[in-house]
Amino acid sequence: MSKTVLISGASIAGPSVAFWLNRLGYSTTVVERAPALRAGGQAVDFRGEQMKVLRRMGLLEEIRAHQTAMGEQHILDASGRRVASLPASMISGEVEIQRGDLSRVLYEATKDRTEYVFGDWITSLTETGSGVEVTFAHGAPRTVDLVIGADGLHSGVRALAFGPESRFRTEMGYACAGFSAPNHLRLDHTGLIYNVLGRGVTYAAQDPDGPASVGFVFAADGLSYDRKDEAQVKKVIAEVYAGVGWEVPRLLEGLHAATDLYFDELAHVYLPRYTSGRVALVGDAGWGVGPGGSGTGLAMMAAYVLAGELFAAAGDHRLAFSRYEAAVRPAAEAGAKQAKGTGPFLAPRTARGLWLRNQSHRMLTTRMFSGVFDRMTLKAANTLKLKDYGM
C-alpha cells in the first residue's frame, strides 16, 4: 500500500488532498513555491452537492465563521446608475468565503499532520518500479510513493509528467485581475458591477471600514506581457482601463498600490487523462476552467474522491486512479461548459451584448424566472455525486 505522498500546491486543492490522506494514515508533504500562504483573493462559493464535502470534513462551521455574508450585487449602467440587483443566493451560493481565508482554514486543519515546505518547487520526476524520485529547486531529493499535482492552471507537475502547458491550454480571449483596494465608497456587505464595452469591473466589500475586493475582466486579444513581471502587468491593466469613467480611476490607484494582485488570461485546460503512472492531478492543474466553472468546489470534491478511491482500492493507485478519473471527468467537463461564456457575460464586447446581458439579469430577478439561475449553477455543482467511502 502506498504511504508517502508529495503534493504540489498549498492553496485549496493541495491541502484538501492532504486532509483526506491524513485521515487514511498516509504521510503527506505539501510543497509550495510561494514563500507563505497567499492572503486575499476573490471570493469562492459553494452550493448543492459541494456542501457535502465541507460537512464531511467537519469544516462547514469554521468556513461559515469566515463567510463573506454578502448581500445584493447591483448592476450599473455606463453612467453609474443602478439597472438591476442580484440576490445574494445568485452570486454567493449557500456559503461564500474569501479564497485566502479558505486556504488558511485548510492549512490549520492539516498543519499538525502534514509537512509544509514553502519557497520550493519540484524540478524533476522520475518514476521507478516502486515509487517516484523527486528533485527540488532547493531541497534535498526524495523518493515517494505518489505525487499529486494541485498547483493550479500553470501546474509544474503537469508540465513534468504530461507535457508543456501549450499542448493542453485553449485561450478564451479574455483576461481577469483581482486585488484589494481601499473601500472609498464604504460598501457594506454588497457589491457593484460596472461595464463599458469589452471591460467589466466588480467592486465589493464586507465592511465599510475594511478593504474592497476589486475584479477586472476584459477582452484580451493579442496581449503582450510577462506574467511574472507585476509592474508590467499593472501597466497593461491600467492601459486597458485608461479613460474609463465611474470609479475606475480611483480603483486604478488602488491597483498600483496593491500587494496581492492576481492576474491571468481566461483559459481552459483539457487533458485526455488526469493521471499518469504514480502522478495524479487535482483541480485547475487537471481541468482548469476559469471563473464560473465551480472550480474550487469541484477541486475539494475531487480531493475527497481521490482519497476515497485509494481507500476503496486498498492503496492500489492504478485501480484508484482509474476510478477517480471516471468519477470526476463528467463534472469537470460540465464546469468547463458552464465557464465557457464567462468572459463575454462579464465583459460583453458589443452594445447589443451588454444590453442583452443586463436584460437577462433583470429577467432572472423577476418572480417568473426566480430560481432559474440557481438551477443552472446547481446542475453543474451536482454533476459529481459524492459516494460515502466510509472514511
Side-chain angles (χ1 to χ4, degrees), residues 19 74 85 103 114 117 125 128 135 142 165 172 212 217 293 298 325 336:
F19 178 94
H74 306 297
S85 295
S103 178
T114 295
V117 179
L125 299 170
T128 66
T135 62
R142 302 188 186 198
E165 182 177 313
M172 297 183 182
V217 177
L298 178 56
E325 288 210 30

Side-chain angles (χ1 to χ4, degrees), residues 108-286:
E108 293 293 336
T110 53
K111 64 182 177 64
D112 291 339
R113 297 180 64 185
T114 295
E115 176 192 16
Y116 278 86
V117 179
F118 289 97
D120 206 352
W121 60 94
I122 298 169
T123 56
S124 72
L125 299 170
T126 304
E127 188 163 338
T128 66
S130 58
V132 185
E133 296 175 353
V134 186
T135 62
F136 302 88
H138 304 298
R142 302 188 186 198
T143 299
V144 297
D145 292 303
L146 301 174
V147 174
I148 308 299
D151 44 355
L153 195 65
H154 305 291
S155 169
V157 169
R158 184 181 64 227
L160 291 170
F162 295 81
E165 182 177 313
S166 58
R167 186 183 301 173
F168 311 110
R169 179 182 172 101
T170 301
E171 302 293 343
M172 297 183 182
Y174 283 81
C176 66
F179 56 95
S180 299
N183 181 11
H184 60 270
L185 292 183
R186 294 184 59 77
L187 297 185
D188 185 358
H189 290 89
T190 190
L192 305 173
I193 301 171
Y194 175 83
N195 283 93
V196 295
L197 298 186
R199 289 162 287 183
V201 180
T202 60
Y203 171 14
Q206 299 169 242
D207 183 345
D209 297 315
S213 179
V214 179
F216 289 155
V217 177
F218 55 93
D221 301 315
L223 278 185
S224 179
Y225 62 94
D226 178 356
R227 186 172 58 87
K228 297 180 180 179
D229 185 340
E230 185 169 291
Q232 187 182 107
V233 169
K234 288 181 177 181
K235 183 180 178 182
V236 167
I237 298 169
E239 288 174 351
V240 169
Y241 282 84
V244 178
W246 186 58
E247 302 292 334
V248 171
R250 295 183 71 175
L251 297 180
L252 289 176
E253 292 176 8
L255 166 67
H256 288 302
T259 59
D260 60 349
L261 175 66
Y262 168 84
F263 175 80
D264 211 337
E265 292 188 57
L266 300 190
H268 176 212
V269 169
Y270 176 83
L271 279 81
R273 297 199 63 185
Y274 303 146
T275 64
S276 175
R278 292 175 175 269
V279 178
L281 303 177
V282 179
D284 284 349

